[in-house]
Amino acid sequence: MNELWIETGAISLNKTGESLCGDKVEISGGGDEDLTLVLADGLGSGVKANILSTLTSKILCTMISGGIPLEECVSTIASTLPVCSVRKVAYSTFTILRILGNRIAHIIQFDNPATIVLRHGEIFDYPRTTRVIADKTIWETSFPIERDDVFITMSDGAEYAGVGRQLNFGWTRDSIAVFAMGNYMPSNSAKTTAGLIIDECERLYGGKPGDDTTVAVARVRGRHTVSLVVGPPEHREDDQRMMDLFFGKEGVKIVCGGTTSQVVSRYLGKPIDATLDYFDPEIPPISHIAGVDLTTEGVITLSRVLEYAQDYLQAAKLAPKWAVQKDGASLIARELFENATDVEFYVGRAINPAHQNPNLPITFAIKQQLIRSLTECLGRMGKHIRVSYF
């Protein structure tokens, strides 16, 4: 198993008045597989720019990840993009980040702001070469990666932030690099880093972006396994086997559900220490069991986690809430979204008699669907997921 893990995260701002973003990020692989990340910025804004950037990012990502030579990729883009009827050009800038074998990074750029690389939290000055392909000046670099490297790619909307407002000449690439370095924390996820920069761009734009703005980040990190058990087994004689597997896995342990907590308590021979601290009035309090990292209520808490997960895959507008709160759903969200690379679910099929009350909206089928939806979201975040049913 490769001990390094490539994590990605991207956030965009639409130009004020536009419903579609003229930037597009396409990602293939990542995690413990080869990564291809393409950030394309279409000419202008709105529908035309969206079409240009979507075509560029998808074509480049597919061809580059398939091992097609760069010359052929760029030539294909030049001959494929529709020509603007007004400006008579087919134009989309792009940044390509390739990380192969979790060992070597390749960066290929055309007209986008230069990718920022942080190494040990400091700005890493990497070498570059240039060449002309299909009348386009392309610059490239290649170097070995290290654990905790952070790659920050962006469209030029980030550099234009603040023009005519807080800053005379916009937020330069060098200033963005200094900002990223000043806000660096080893624990920051790729999405968190992208969010910090995007939030500052929006502030500099005065809440009214003058251009489509996108930041896409890749982070090299170590693997971190989180195991979550919810629901007791369908047959009580399987309690021992389920617990042996759950506690036999290294990493963080999360227990969800009152009945599940009782199974864990019996297995460990440790009492359940319940609390009455309602950090969120809608989320039941957490409990404590020695030997378990986090013990929460089940369906209500996980439903909130799913809500946070769905939001996180979009604009992450709820992230400021779960990033700091101490309720069970927020604590699970931080562990699964920010910390985990590998997530192991241990799901019991036992039917909780309390959930069969027709006056209650919670059913066994809903719990099962909840786990399926959550694992789907985590998979889209790039987590390595395994689900075991008992």
Side-chain angles (χ1 to χ4, degrees):
M1 178 186 292
N2 196 316
E3 292 304 314
L4 292 182
W5 185 268
I6 311 300
E7 175 185 270
T8 59
I11 305 180
S12 297
L13 294 174
N14 291 6
K15 180 180 178 180
T16 298
E18 297 290 353
S19 58
L20 291 175
C21 186
D23 303 334
K24 180 68 175 178
V25 176
E26 193 74 19
I27 298 172
S28 174
D32 55 1
E33 301 175 354
D34 291 347
L35 169 74
T36 304
L37 182 153
V38 179
L39 189 161
D41 180 356
L43 175 69
S45 60
V47 175
K48 289 183 179 178
N50 180 266
I51 292 172
L52 291 169
S53 62
T54 299
L55 283 171
T56 299
S57 60
K58 287 188 177 295
I59 291 170
L60 283 178
C61 192
T62 299
M63 295 184 74
I64 291 289
S65 61
I68 306 298
L70 180 62
E71 293 84 355
E72 188 174 339
C73 296
V74 175
S75 297
T76 300
I77 289 296
S79 61
T80 302
L81 293 186
V83 176
C84 175
S85 60
V86 177
R87 306 189 196 185
K88 305 301 181 184
V89 292
Y91 191 81
S92 178
T93 65
F94 59 80
T95 301
I96 303 169
L97 170 63
R98 284 275 276 162
I99 298 180
L100 300 176
N102 282 5
R103 295 183 299 107
I104 302 294
H106 301 275
I107 305 174
I108 304 161
Q109 293 207 184
F110 168 63
D111 266 11
N112 271 346
T115 296
I116 296 165
V117 179
L118 299 182
R119 175 161 288 177
H120 310 303
E122 302 290 330
I123 298 168
F124 176 61
D125 188 17
Y126 49 85
R128 307 180 205 174
T129 59
T130 61
R131 57 175 161 150
V132 177
I133 302 175
D135 296 325
K136 291 177 169 57
T137 300
I138 308 292
W139 71 255
E140 302 173 78
T141 187
S142 179
F143 54 88
I145 66 171
E146 294 184 10
R147 181 168 174 159
D148 294 329
D149 279 357
V150 177
F151 298 80
I152 302 170
T153 68
M154 70 201 90
S155 62
D156 59 8
E159 289 189 316
Y160 294 151
V163 170
R165 293 176 180 271
Q166 284 90 339
L167 304 170
N168 289 333
F169 302 105
W171 201 23
T172 66
R173 184 264 186 190
D174 289 345
S175 297
I176 296 170
V178 171
F179 175 86
M181 183 175 66
N183 287 273
Y184 170 81
M185 292 181 63
S187 60
N188 281 353
S189 69
K191 186 100 174 196
T192 295
T193 299
L196 288 169
I197 297 172
I198 280 289
D199 287 347
E200 183 66 7
C201 288
E202 188 168 29
R203 186 189 72 80
L204 292 171
Y205 272 123
K208 297 181 178 180
D211 192 12
D212 299 305
T213 305
T214 297
V215 177
V217 176
R219 169 193 176 209
V220 183
R221 53 167 301 184
R223 299 186 82 130
H224 179 79
T225 300
V226 175
S227 298
L228 186 150
V229 60
V230 54
E234 184 176 11
H235 305 290
R236 186 162 182 173
E237 57 268 25
D238 289 332
D239 286 3
Q240 181 77 27
R241 182 171 67 91
M242 184 187 199
M243 292 295 104
D244 285 345
L245 290 171
F246 176 68
F247 284 102
K249 194 75 177 179
E250 292 186 2
V252 170
K253 302 288 186 293
I254 299 175
V255 175
C256 297
T259 308
T260 313
S261 299
Q262 293 172 17
V263 173
V264 171
S265 175
R266 288 195 299 270
Y267 178 83
L268 294 176
K270 303 291 184 181
I272 301 172
D273 180 16
T275 68
L276 297 176
D277 298 323
Y278 276 87
F279 296 105
D280 183 317
E282 298 179 358
I283 304 300
I286 65 172
S287 300
H288 301 282
I289 304 174
V292 175
D293 296 285
L294 177 61
T295 306
T296 75
E297 180 273 341
V299 172
I300 296 173
T301 300
L302 289 177
S303 295
R304 176 67 68 83
V305 175
L306 175 60
E307 179 185 344
Y308 288 155
Q310 291 167 337
D311 168 77
Y312 185 80
L313 289 167
Q314 302 300 320
K317 293 186 181 298
L318 298 177
K321 182 177 181 180
W322 56 256
V324 296
Q325 290 195 168
K326 298 180 180 179
D327 62 276
S330 296
L331 295 173
I332 292 176
R334 288 207 290 277
E335 199 58 57
L336 294 182
F337 308 166
E338 298 282 284
N339 299 334
T341 58
D342 301 78
V343 182
E344 304 265 351
F345 283 94
Y346 299 82
V347 184
R349 297 177 183 271
I351 297 176
N352 189 332
H355 293 175
Q356 305 313 300
N357 184 336
N359 296 320
L360 291 177
I362 302 170
T363 68
F364 177 64
I366 288 177
K367 185 177 79 171
Q368 297 294 86
Q369 181 58 48
L370 180 61
I371 297 300
R372 283 195 292 269
S373 299
L374 183 55
T375 56
E376 180 185 344
C377 288
L378 293 171
R380 289 173 59 196
M381 292 180 198
K383 314 294 183 182
H384 184 271
I385 309 296
R386 186 164 67 179
V387 183
S388 302
Y389 290 94
F390 297 86

